[in-house]
Amino acid sequence: MSRSRSGGAVWECFGPFRFEIPFTVQDGKLGYPVRRARLFGVSWPKLLTPKSDAFEGVDADGRATFDVTVSLPIVGMLVRYQGWLGMLNLPNVFLKVAVRNLNGSRLNDL
């Protein structure tokens, strides 16, 4: 990950792809939309750039929450996951992670 020269954004790298992701605030949540993409350093067409609806926030219990949907034009949704991170009161265990899939069943609970 590196900072964007345009400010307020980062570049995420996935193999030969790089995605510019600016930070936004919407309804009190931090958003991460994909602004543009590059493949091997060459600009990737906007028509083929993934769309990211990704948000982080804090719920009433003080847990960090996340809700992420990634889709491709023409193809549609690739992945969606949501959940929260919170503290446990157990020795040597620092975080509790719960992630739910689209139908609401729990994927993991550590």
Side-chain angles (χ1 to χ4, degrees), residues 77-93:
M77 185 173 58
L78 294 177
V79 65
R80 175 153 194 232
Y81 57 95
Q82 58 189 126
W84 52 266
L85 300 172
M87 298 298 291
L88 283 178
N89 293 322
L90 299 174
N92 301 319
V93 178

Side-chain angles (χ1 to χ4, degrees), residues 13-72:
C13 299
F14 298 96
F17 281 98
R18 292 182 64 210
F19 301 98
E20 185 182 23
I21 303 171
F23 301 113
T24 63
V25 177
Q26 182 179 349
D27 299 326
K29 296 180 181 179
L30 184 60
Y32 301 92
V34 174
R35 178 184 293 159
R36 60 185 169 155
R38 295 182 177 273
L39 176 62
F40 297 111
V42 177
S43 291
W44 188 252
K46 189 73 169 171
L47 178 64
L48 300 175
T49 298
K51 180 181 181 213
S52 169
D53 290 315
F55 296 94
E56 292 181 4
V58 178
D59 68 11
D61 296 325
R63 300 178 298 192
T65 61
F66 52 90
D67 188 348
V68 178
T69 303
V70 178
S71 58
L72 282 175

